[in-house]
Amino acid sequence: MWSNFFARAEQSRARAARPRRPQMSEGRETALKLGLLLAGLGLVLMVTAAGTDHWGQLATRARPGNATCRAAHFGLWRQCLKTILQSELEDEEGICGPVDLPGVSNCSYFQFFTTGEATLIMDRHAEKELFIVAAVLAIICMCLIILGSISIGTALNRNLQFLLKLSATFFISAGLAGVATLLSFDRAALGVLRAVGETELELTFRWSFGCGIASTLFTSLAGLTFLLLSLPPLSPCTAKAGGA
């Protein structure tokens, strides 16, 4: 009986002497949740961008006397060629499009992802290496956002504030990967435009490309938020010295 009493007392003293993990303030927790919301938006937008094929649009110019004209929209993985009636255009002598107009569409994945062969977009050769680089970088960007979100979730649940720097590294790296994805696709699309072809084409960047831009922005802001939160707070002496 007495041995159990002393054992319990010893355990109570040990728990009391154990250093307590500092609790996260309400303001910091709110900032963490805001950063996590930005990261979640960045992930959703990047998944939407990578999974859709409206990054760019190539269109011919409508010619008087022709019944139809051609346009194409494409993304990181596939393209859709569309034949549009010129009577549907607002300006029958302008650019053929937008591709949302009714017409006959034919979609296919880029052949260098399936058979390894060269791919033509509007009868022009696409630069295989740049499209592959853009697709791989988009996947890396999404993986980094997921890893950063897991780290932040663990930091909130376990109150492990040292994970903030790791999460900030993941999200900032994801933002850089997003920028590299956009630049690679931009060069790939311009390469198609510069390729030798019989018809003159007009290039327009569309909403999937905009989703990639927004994802990169939100992810970078989330990384900066977590980086600022990972910095040690200013002591009163330091704050007074800075104010003086």
Side-chain angles (χ1 to χ4, degrees), residues 9-235:
E10 185 66 27
Q11 291 176 0
S12 299
R13 284 195 297 269
R15 285 195 295 267
R18 186 183 305 165
R20 293 186 178 182
R21 188 177 296 162
Q23 294 295 319
M24 189 178 300
S25 65
E26 184 177 351
R28 287 174 63 84
E29 186 173 352
T30 302
L32 277 174
K33 291 179 179 179
L34 177 61
L36 190 57
L37 175 63
L38 289 173
L41 289 174
L43 178 60
V44 170
L45 288 169
M46 183 54 72
V47 170
T48 302
T52 53
D53 47 29
H54 286 268
W55 285 64
Q57 171 185 304
L58 286 171
T60 59
R61 186 167 291 276
R63 295 180 178 178
N66 290 351
T68 61
C69 59
R70 294 191 307 155
H73 61 89
F74 56 99
L76 301 178
W77 316 98
R78 72 171 191 166
Q79 63 170 326
C80 290
L81 303 177
K82 198 165 190 178
T83 303
I84 301 173
L85 292 174
Q86 290 192 174
S87 58
E88 298 286 345
L89 303 179
E90 294 182 1
D91 182 5
E92 294 190 9
E93 296 184 1
I95 299 173
C96 184
V99 291
D100 302 322
L101 294 174
V104 180
S105 183
N106 180 23
C107 299
S108 62
Y109 287 94
F110 292 143
Q111 291 179 339
F112 45 72
F113 286 120
T114 55
T115 62
E117 300 176 1
T119 295
L120 296 178
I121 302 178
M122 297 289 289
D123 301 326
R124 301 191 182 195
H125 284 279
E127 297 187 35
K128 174 176 69 174
E129 294 79 8
L130 289 175
F131 277 102
I132 292 176
V133 167
V136 171
L137 286 171
I139 294 174
I140 292 175
C141 178
M142 290 184 285
C143 291
L144 288 171
I145 296 175
I146 292 173
L147 290 174
S149 301
I150 292 173
S151 299
I152 286 298
T154 306
L156 286 173
N157 292 332
R158 304 289 181 84
N159 196 23
L160 301 176
Q161 299 192 29
F162 69 89
L163 289 176
L164 291 176
K165 288 185 179 179
L166 179 62
S167 303
T169 302
F170 281 135
F171 287 120
I172 292 175
S173 300
L176 294 176
V179 171
T181 301
L182 297 170
L183 291 178
S184 298
F185 181 84
D186 177 69
R187 291 194 60 184
L190 292 177
V192 175
L193 193 63
R194 289 192 299 264
V196 178
E198 296 181 358
T199 56
E200 182 181 354
L201 299 179
E202 296 284 345
L203 173 64
T204 306
F205 292 101
R206 289 176 57 81
W207 60 267
S208 296
F209 191 80
C211 287
I213 295 175
S215 171
T216 301
L217 178 61
F218 288 148
T219 305
S220 301
L221 288 176
L224 291 176
T225 300
F226 297 136
L227 181 62
L228 292 175
L229 289 173
S230 67
L231 298 177
L234 291 175
S235 63

